[in-house]
Amino acid sequence: MSALTSALGVLNDMVSAALLLVGAAFCLISGIGLVRFPDTVSRLHAASKAQTLGLLFVVLGAVLQMPLGKAPALLLVAAFSLLTAPVTGHIVARIAYRTDAVERRQIVLDELAARLISEKRLRSGERDRDPDADRGPEPPGDH
């Protein structure tokens, strides 16, 4: 029984080490992508996708080494990262798009452009319109 426990311990350590190394490699690739990619959108892909995957591998590798009582805290870190990384990337991408930090000619399908144009027209139409025009004529005797 002791040999089996020892073999499972070694297998656990090997799997954990492999997960930690793969996670570290993804984090390194993400960092290289942040430095090397030319534009904001490409950098966002490196920051959100590869970094999140790297963190998940590192967390899984650490979970295998932790006592079972502490594993839920690490899994919460992974869940929080999975929930927040796409939202943060989306917000940064929209800000980059609206501030013209994105080269729009490289975008194949630009669905946001039409929406932003229509929103701009609505805002400018509301600003140009006379606010008293909606009230209609004043009733007699209220002067």
Side-chain angles (χ1 to χ4, degrees):
M1 197 66 161
S2 175
L4 180 64
T5 306
S6 176
L8 287 177
V10 169
L11 180 65
N12 185 33
D13 289 344
M14 290 176 56
V15 170
S16 177
L19 287 171
L20 289 169
L21 287 173
V22 169
F26 269 104
C27 291
L28 177 66
I29 290 169
S30 175
I32 292 170
L34 282 173
V35 173
R36 297 283 310 221
F37 284 147
D39 61 339
T40 306
V41 177
S42 299
R43 289 178 180 169
L44 281 172
H45 282 287
S48 62
K49 291 179 177 30
Q51 181 65 32
T52 303
L53 192 59
L55 177 69
L56 290 177
F57 279 123
V58 168
V59 166
L60 287 175
V63 164
L64 292 177
Q65 293 297 315
M66 300 296 291
L68 285 178
K70 297 188 181 195
L74 287 175
L75 294 176
L76 281 175
V77 168
F80 184 71
S81 176
L82 280 174
L83 292 174
T84 58
V87 174
T88 305
H90 182 77
I91 290 171
V92 171
R94 284 183 76 106
I95 290 170
Y97 186 91
R98 288 176 185 246
T99 59
D100 292 328
V102 174
E103 291 187 39
R104 294 185 184 181
R105 61 175 194 239
Q106 291 183 348
I107 299 174
V108 176
L109 179 62
D110 193 358
E111 295 175 350
L112 187 57
R115 181 175 176 190
L116 290 177
I117 289 170
S118 66
E119 286 177 5
K120 190 181 239 183
R121 285 183 186 151
L122 283 174
R123 280 194 305 261
S124 67
E126 290 174 2
R127 195 177 330 124
D128 294 341
R129 193 178 58 199
D130 182 18
D132 295 330
D134 290 337
R135 287 192 276 175
E138 292 184 22
D142 284 345
H143 298 278

